[in-house]
Amino acid sequence: MIEIHEVTKKFQDKKIYITALKHVSFSVKKGQVVGLLGENGAGKTTLLRTIATLLTPTDGQVSVAGFNTLKHADEIKKRIGVLFGGETGLYDRLTARENLEYFAMLYGLSKHETKVRIDDLAKMFGMKDYLNRKVGSFSKGMRQKVAIARTLIHNPDIILFDEPTTGLDITSSNVFRQLVHQLKRDGKTIIFSSHIMEEVSMLCDTVAMMHKGELVYHGDLEELYKSEGSRDLNYIFMSKLVRGNENYAS
Ligand SMILES: Nc1ncnc2c1ncn2[C@@H]1O[C@H](COP(=O)(O)OP(=O)(O)OP(=O)(O)O)[C@@H](O)[C@H]1O
Ligand SMILES: [Mg+2]
């Protein structure tokens, strides 16, 4: 479903070159839920933006649903839903419903499809009470729920979430977690970055760990627990960072 092959991404910040991704390779199968872990600046957002066709790799290739990100970005955009931490992309002067209608229109949904979809999502997220209020007055968690609904409006097969529960309270985080379970049951392919190990261990079957732009582990979570002789993901993550990618086995 997603193939990341030897991806390197360099940024130039004035005269300083930053290598945000270094020869990153892994693939994600249909229906997998992948947790992307890494310290601040590890390259998680850069990788997700590259998969979403929003960044061009300096080297290497990415394909999504069989389409190359450089050649067929439009085909990919139809099939993916993306949500980047901190950027909700919502219009403050519109109501939650109007925001969702606007994004539904961009994806070419009919009026009827839009209504059904918005009603479903509003129910799922408990947003019914504020669907007709302007987003400008919303709390962070309310906004985040509308943003997640926006990401899913066109019922995409592949979903990329960058720190989706940042800013959500426990109830809303749980709603998000239930939603991921539901999406998984529906056969969706999901990659999400998180700093919350508990969330990753609860929701993911696979993890990708990044450290300073390199992939230090990618594989099945249960196998990782077995090979490390521990189910403490926090501890495993820290020890992987210390050991680097010497022991990396895909
Ligand atoms: N547009 C850019 N221009 C210059 N450098 C950038 C740009 N975007 C990212 N970087 C650099 O690339 C590196 C990886 O950043 P990235 O945002 O991918 O990390 P991250 O793993 O998402 O971190 P966080 O957990 O803090 O969100 C950092 O050193 C960052 O400063
Ligand atoms: Mg980030």
Side-chain angles (χ1 to χ4, degrees):
M1 204 71 178
I2 301 171
E3 304 275 345
I4 299 154
H5 181 72
E6 284 286 317
V7 169
T8 293
K9 178 68 190 179
K10 290 181 186 170
F11 290 108
Q12 189 180 357
D13 197 353
K14 294 193 178 127
K15 283 185 178 164
I16 303 165
Y17 285 93
I18 297 146
T19 308
L21 299 173
K22 296 176 194 164
H23 303 284
V24 174
S25 297
F26 68 94
S27 53
V28 181
K29 294 196 189 91
K30 185 181 179 324
Q32 272 187 336
V33 180
V34 182
L36 192 54
L37 296 171
E39 296 170 306
N40 294 133
K44 302 176 300 294
T45 301
T46 305
L47 181 62
L48 291 173
R49 294 190 89 92
T50 308
I51 299 169
T53 78
L54 303 172
L55 283 176
T56 307
T58 309
D59 222 337
Q61 298 96 41
V62 178
S63 77
V64 179
F67 296 101
N68 183 288
T69 51
L70 293 180
K71 293 183 194 145
H72 302 289
D74 287 347
E75 290 296 332
I76 295 173
K77 282 181 183 160
K78 275 189 240 170
R79 292 168 171 82
I80 62 172
V82 289
L83 177 64
F84 287 102
E87 299 170 23
T88 58
L90 301 171
Y91 296 99
D92 280 358
R93 280 184 292 172
L94 300 181
T95 65
R97 183 186 292 283
E98 286 162 350
N99 265 286
L100 295 173
E101 282 170 350
Y102 173 72
F103 288 102
M105 188 189 71
L106 294 184
Y107 285 107
L109 267 69
S110 72
K111 276 208 167 136
H112 177 69
E113 280 172 323
T114 304
K115 190 178 176 322
V116 171
R117 192 80 188 130
I118 291 176
D119 285 349
D120 281 353
L121 290 164
K123 206 169 149 192
M124 203 187 290
F125 286 106
M127 299 190 304
K128 277 189 164 174
D129 291 347
Y130 51 85
L131 209 49
N132 295 318
R133 274 175 52 194
K134 286 195 176 135
V135 164
S137 66
F138 283 10
S139 73
K140 205 170 172 181
M142 286 156 81
R143 267 170 192 278
Q144 186 74 343
K145 285 194 200 178
V146 182
I148 295 172
R150 192 214 80 186
T151 303
L152 303 173
I153 194 81
H154 55 306
N155 200 11
D157 284 334
I158 300 158
I159 302 146
L160 309 176
F161 287 126
D162 193 16
E163 296 188 39
T165 53
T166 302
L168 296 190
D169 66 16
I170 292 174
T171 313
S172 306
S173 298
N174 284 335
V175 169
F176 171 78
R177 290 168 191 178
Q178 280 160 18
L179 173 80
V180 171
H181 283 302
Q182 177 65 46
L183 293 169
K184 191 175 161 63
R185 278 195 294 274
D186 293 345
K188 307 287 184 190
T189 308
I190 304 166
I191 307 183
F192 75 91
S193 72
S194 180
H195 290 287
I196 308 164
M197 297 295 169
E198 189 201 0
E199 183 168 278
V200 171
S201 60
M202 259 168 30
L203 299 175
C204 300
D205 36 49
T206 307
V207 285
M209 291 182 184
M210 307 205 37
H211 184 47
K212 295 183 178 165
E214 288 185 83
L215 189 70
V216 292
Y217 179 80
H218 167 255
D220 185 89
L221 191 55
E222 282 302 322
E223 278 173 24
L224 179 66
Y225 289 152
K226 246 186 237 166
S227 68
E228 296 289 323
S230 164
R231 296 187 73 82
D232 182 344
L233 194 54
N234 208 12
Y235 164 79
I236 296 172
F237 174 67
M238 293 314 292
S239 69
K240 284 274 175 206
L241 296 202
V242 172
R243 273 144 47 195
N245 67 353
E246 289 166 6
N247 299 316
Y248 170 63
S250 183

